[in-house]
Amino acid sequence: MPLSVAIGGAKGTFADQVGSEVARVLDRAFGAEGEWEGVAVRHFGELTADLLAELRRRAAEELGEHAVPNLSGVVGAKTGVFLPAHVQTITLPLSQGGPLCCASLPGLREELADLANRWDLPLDDASLLELLRVADDPEDGPVSEPLEVITFARLALAANEAVRRDCPLWLLD
């Protein structure tokens, strides 16, 4: 099942009433959702739930289960968000579409940096884009990098932009 990767405010990311409810729930829980609403939504493609779960599994294998609480807190969720704040992983109920799993964007960035260090991968946008470009190459792409590396690159690229814009990173069913 593909998950859409996007950054931006809740109201622009979700359709009408759902976006308003998500914004209200986040504002009640964390008190800062209104600050993110002015950020235009930007999409970073799709990830399959299986590939994201494999990235989480490999990260836990490499770094230890305790070292990836943010990635673990959102993987497997129908709707997940990495918030631009140091927050504990939490699940919040929504009236439609199941719960909202929340984790820390700065925490995710630390986890990705640790994984990049372990796997000798880049974290800068240009190099991440190059990894994704090579993955799209019809001749060399699928065999040039393991799929969890491509998943890492897409997630890290979105996380970089979310940090620059100081807004949430969403994984949406």
Side-chain angles (χ1 to χ4, degrees), residues 64-75 82 88-89 102-104 107 111:
E65 191 71 42
H66 67 284
V68 289
N70 295 287
L71 193 54
S72 295
V74 171
V75 169
F82 296 99
Q88 295 279 335
T89 301
C102 305
S104 169
E111 292 167 18

Side-chain angles (χ1 to χ4, degrees), residues 10 14 20 26 43 62 75 85 91 95 106-107 110 145 148 157-158:
F14 294 90
S20 293
L26 288 174
H43 295 276
E62 291 282 335
V75 169
T91 301
S95 64
E110 289 175 22
E145 294 290 349
E148 63 269 16
L157 190 63

Side-chain angles (χ1 to χ4, degrees), residues 3-8 26 30 33 36 47 52 55-56 68-77 79-90 100-112 155-156 158-159 162-163 166-172:
L3 297 170
S4 177
V5 180
I7 64 165
L26 288 174
F30 303 106
E33 174 57 30
W36 306 320
L47 297 173
L52 197 55
L55 174 64
R56 193 218 61 80
V68 289
N70 295 287
L71 193 54
S72 295
V74 171
V75 169
T79 304
V81 61
F82 296 99
L83 299 169
H86 291 282
V87 298
Q88 295 279 335
T89 301
I90 186 173
L100 174 65
C101 295
C102 305
S104 169
L105 179 60
L108 172 67
R109 293 275 312 261
E110 289 175 22
E111 292 167 18
L112 293 174
L155 190 57
V163 166
D166 192 30
C167 68
L169 186 161
W170 303 90
L171 299 177
L172 309 166

Side-chain angles (χ1 to χ4, degrees), residues 63-166:
L63 304 171
E65 191 71 42
H66 67 284
V68 289
N70 295 287
L71 193 54
S72 295
V74 171
V75 169
K78 186 174 180 183
T79 304
V81 61
F82 296 99
L83 299 169
H86 291 282
V87 298
Q88 295 279 335
T89 301
I90 186 173
T91 301
L92 302 170
L94 297 174
S95 64
Q96 299 178 35
L100 174 65
C101 295
C102 305
S104 169
L105 179 60
L108 172 67
R109 293 275 312 261
E110 289 175 22
E111 292 167 18
L112 293 174
D114 290 346
L115 196 55
N117 187 44
R118 183 69 60 103
W119 287 353
D120 196 29
L121 291 174
L123 281 173
D124 64 283
D125 288 355
S127 298
L128 292 169
L129 285 167
E130 181 63 17
L131 278 173
L132 293 173
R133 188 195 63 72
V134 169
D136 288 338
D137 186 319
E139 291 181 24
D140 297 325
V143 296
S144 63
E145 294 290 349
L147 292 176
E148 63 269 16
V149 170
I150 302 309
T151 302
F152 167 92
R154 187 168 312 286
L155 190 57
L157 190 63
N160 288 350
E161 186 65 15
V163 166
R164 275 193 294 277
R165 292 182 177 205
D166 192 30

Side-chain angles (χ1 to χ4, degrees), residues 11-70:
K11 291 178 184 174
T13 301
F14 294 90
D16 305 325
Q17 293 176 324
V18 175
S20 293
E21 179 187 9
V22 170
R24 263 192 324 276
V25 166
L26 288 174
D27 195 43
R28 265 188 252 132
F30 303 106
E33 174 57 30
E35 297 172 15
W36 306 320
E37 283 308 319
V39 179
V41 176
R42 182 168 174 206
H43 295 276
F44 283 84
E46 294 183 340
L47 297 173
T48 67
D50 291 345
L51 288 177
L52 197 55
E54 180 61 16
L55 174 64
R56 193 218 61 80
R57 185 193 71 73
R58 288 282 317 277
E61 185 179 276
E62 291 282 335
L63 304 171
E65 191 71 42
H66 67 284
V68 289
N70 295 287

